[in-house]
Amino acid sequence: MSLSRRKFLIRSVQCIVACGILPGLSACDGPGRLQESKGRGYDDLVSRIGRERADIIWYASFAPSSHNVQPWTVTIKSPDKWIIGSAEDRWLNEIDPKNREMLLSIGAFIENMVTAARAYGFQVKTRVLARNPFDPELLSLELQNDERAEYPLQRMIERRTMRTGFKNEDIDPEDFSFLVGGEEGFSYFPPLSTQAAWLDEATIAATSQQVERENVQEELARWIRWSDADARKFRNGLTPEAMDITGLAGWYVRNFYGSDDVLAKDFRKATVERVKKQVAESAGWIIVTAEKSGLTALIETGRRFERMFLRAKDRSIGIHPMSQILEEKNFAEKAAAMLMLEKQPQLLLRVGYMRDYPSPVSLRMPLDDFTRVSIFPSMSVRTE
Ligand SMILES: Cc1cc2nc3c(=O)[nH]c(=O)nc-3n(C[C@H](O)[C@H](O)[C@H](O)COP(=O)(O)O)c2cc1C
């Protein structure tokens, strides 16, 4: 094939990727999210701490996290004493230099863990250990036997970030109440509100600014798993389908894209175009605010956010965290004032009713990759 013809073909497919054409062709998209077994390390963990405790950690791992880095670590000091920490090589120093988003993700992880533990008949005592967000050990957890609390654990596996397919309807006040479950610190801005208009425009502007930051793009490139082989190897980060690049375009990028493409002008432009399309179809925004912004407050905010996120599918509501405004200092500084909020916004969520509610696609690391068991004398643990 002549060079110019090849170039033309590559350009055409890049255009397809950029324009998001062919949304319907999504069959055969990358490795599935759920593995046949519960992943490497599960059986070993069961033999050390029992099936119920191993399951609690497995459920927790379905929590959301920025770039799907899954920053958590679990050190099992004894069957009932666990230390939750974060792994430095899974921090996002460029978009999240203060580890603010990391703490929110850890909060979501803890919420899944505590909720799953209650469902298995354990009460969990949590204690914050860290003094700053860069300490490797963040919290200690202690499990104590208790009554089982009914909870549909399937919600954790079915929860997912939505990026396309939103309807333009306002969220019904009754559904909003269901989502937030009577908790404070959530504000809803319907699509025609001035706040939603600002969020839409500022998200596009913040994205345009962000894609020009070389270090940010390089960091993103490290977390995109273009090929199926990489997706299978790491089981974290963003796959093409998680970014809604599916069908023929998905096939193309899975086979021909690499880290360098994230730094190319076309990819940066496509990112801004995709964000423009996303904000155009939203039903509005939910902002999660917090009274304080210290370490404990951020973990608690992450827990509150996850409690809401887990209820969303019951009402066919899609949630799309869009953090660009809070990641770009000049936008973050004016966010509270522009939104007329007294408290600091910590999560900006594009929300709306979904046309469909497809199954989750983002991958999860096997337990082996984030759980360590300290040596302790074998003891009898309750099974089933
Ligand atoms: C604190 C936080 C910030 C996030 N920011 C963004 C964002 O700016 N854009 C985006 O598309 N997704 C964002 N997400 C969603 C993650 O990308 C998503 O949780 C991750 O890829 C795993 O996918 P899942 O939620 O479907 O399991 C964010 C998630 C968290 C917890």
Side-chain angles (χ1 to χ4, degrees):
M1 199 185 318
S2 74
L3 191 62
S4 60
R5 177 121 187 271
R6 192 164 174 269
K7 267 193 175 159
F8 170 77
L9 264 178
I10 290 174
R11 282 267 158 257
S12 311
V13 182
Q14 280 174 337
C15 170
I16 289 170
V17 174
C19 303
I21 303 169
L22 299 171
L25 274 174
S26 56
C28 312
D29 276 325
R33 157 149 139 153
L34 288 178
Q35 308 172 75
E36 270 167 35
S37 66
K38 284 182 177 166
R40 192 162 29 80
Y42 175 78
D43 291 339
D44 185 42
L45 203 54
V46 170
S47 72
R48 306 292 302 275
I49 59 171
R51 189 167 300 283
E52 293 179 335
R53 291 171 179 78
D55 277 348
I56 292 167
I57 301 172
W58 182 73
Y59 276 114
S61 74
F62 289 96
S65 59
S66 325
H67 285 6
N68 195 28
V69 297
Q70 304 167 46
W72 38 79
T73 59
V74 181
T75 308
I76 317 267
K77 294 282 185 189
S78 77
D80 292 328
K81 266 211 161 149
W82 303 353
I83 306 288
I84 310 303
S86 76
E88 191 174 348
D89 59 355
R90 286 180 256 134
W91 292 348
L92 296 168
N93 298 323
E94 300 302 330
I95 57 162
D96 187 29
K98 295 185 175 161
N99 270 352
R100 188 188 68 85
E101 292 183 28
M102 183 277 283
L103 291 173
L104 292 168
S105 308
I106 293 286
F109 180 77
I110 297 286
E111 182 59 25
N112 277 11
M113 192 167 252
V114 171
T115 306
R118 285 192 192 124
Y120 278 105
F122 297 100
Q123 190 199 98
V124 184
K125 269 196 188 160
T126 61
R127 191 162 61 89
V128 174
L129 302 174
R131 288 178 177 268
N132 76 67
F134 304 98
D135 284 345
E137 294 192 343
L138 296 170
L139 299 108
S140 72
L141 264 58
E142 209 178 314
L143 276 68
Q144 292 167 349
N145 288 340
D146 197 5
E147 299 272 297
R148 283 176 191 259
E150 284 289 314
Y151 188 88
L153 289 170
Q154 199 59 19
R155 272 186 182 171
M156 291 180 198
I157 295 170
E158 288 174 0
R159 183 211 57 78
R160 63 160 291 174
T161 296
M162 293 296 183
R163 295 186 177 83
T164 53
F166 290 82
K167 294 183 193 169
N168 266 115
E169 294 161 28
D170 283 17
I171 301 285
D172 187 282
E174 203 275 316
D175 285 340
F176 179 73
S177 300
F178 172 81
L179 269 189
V180 304
E183 296 197 74
E184 298 281 314
F186 295 95
S187 306
Y188 173 58
F189 298 120
L192 295 180
S193 60
T194 48
Q195 288 96 331
W198 182 77
L199 284 159
D200 290 351
E201 276 176 32
T203 297
I204 297 169
T207 307
S208 306
Q209 181 175 299
Q210 194 168 66
V211 295
E212 295 307 325
R213 285 169 58 196
E214 217 52 33
N215 293 351
V216 168
Q217 291 302 106
E218 281 168 11
E219 181 176 76
L220 173 64
R222 286 196 292 279
W223 286 100
I224 297 185
R225 310 297 177 217
W226 287 118
S227 71
D228 289 357
D230 269 0
R232 278 197 198 95
K233 181 171 161 199
F234 296 103
R235 295 198 69 89
N236 59 19
L238 302 165
T239 56
E241 50 175 349
M243 295 185 289
D244 273 320
I245 306 174
T246 56
L248 183 58
W251 171 84
Y252 181 83
V253 296
R254 284 206 310 279
N255 289 289
F256 300 107
Y257 258 42
S259 301
D260 286 353
D261 291 289
V262 180
L263 307 178
K265 219 170 154 193
D266 279 354
F267 184 85
R268 298 177 203 234
K269 213 170 133 199
T271 304
V272 178
E273 289 309 311
R274 198 160 42 238
V275 166
K276 279 186 188 166
K277 269 176 66 179
Q278 288 170 346
V279 298
E281 68 164 14
S282 84
W285 293 78
I286 289 179
I287 309 304
V288 186
T289 55
E291 197 110 29
K292 296 185 185 143
S293 55
L295 183 137
T296 308
L298 285 172
I299 294 173
E300 282 305 318
T301 306
R303 291 190 62 172
R304 186 157 46 88
F305 156 64
E306 178 68 349
R307 280 196 286 279
M308 183 210 70
F309 210 157
L310 289 169
R311 294 188 198 106
K313 190 181 179 212
D314 284 21
R315 299 290 164 107
S316 293
I317 293 171
I319 309 268
H320 181 192
M322 295 193 91
S323 309
Q324 295 90 330
I325 289 176
L326 300 180
E327 289 163 356
E328 296 298 302
K329 203 161 172 267
N330 50 332
F331 288 91
E333 277 167 358
K334 55 185 173 201
M338 296 307 287
L339 298 170
M340 291 174 252
L341 293 169
E342 279 169 22
K343 293 174 196 155
Q344 196 50 36
Q346 295 295 356
L347 282 147
L348 312 180
L349 313 173
R350 194 168 66 90
V351 298
Y353 293 107
M354 299 304 300
R355 286 196 285 274
D356 303 302
Y357 221 104
S359 299
V361 290
S362 67
L363 302 172
R364 287 301 181 275
M365 286 163 24
L367 299 184
D368 227 15
D369 287 358
F370 67 92
T371 308
R372 294 281 163 273
V373 184
S374 302
I375 297 168
F376 49 81
S378 60
M379 54 181 282
S380 66
V381 287
R382 196 180 71 190
T383 53
E384 302 317 314

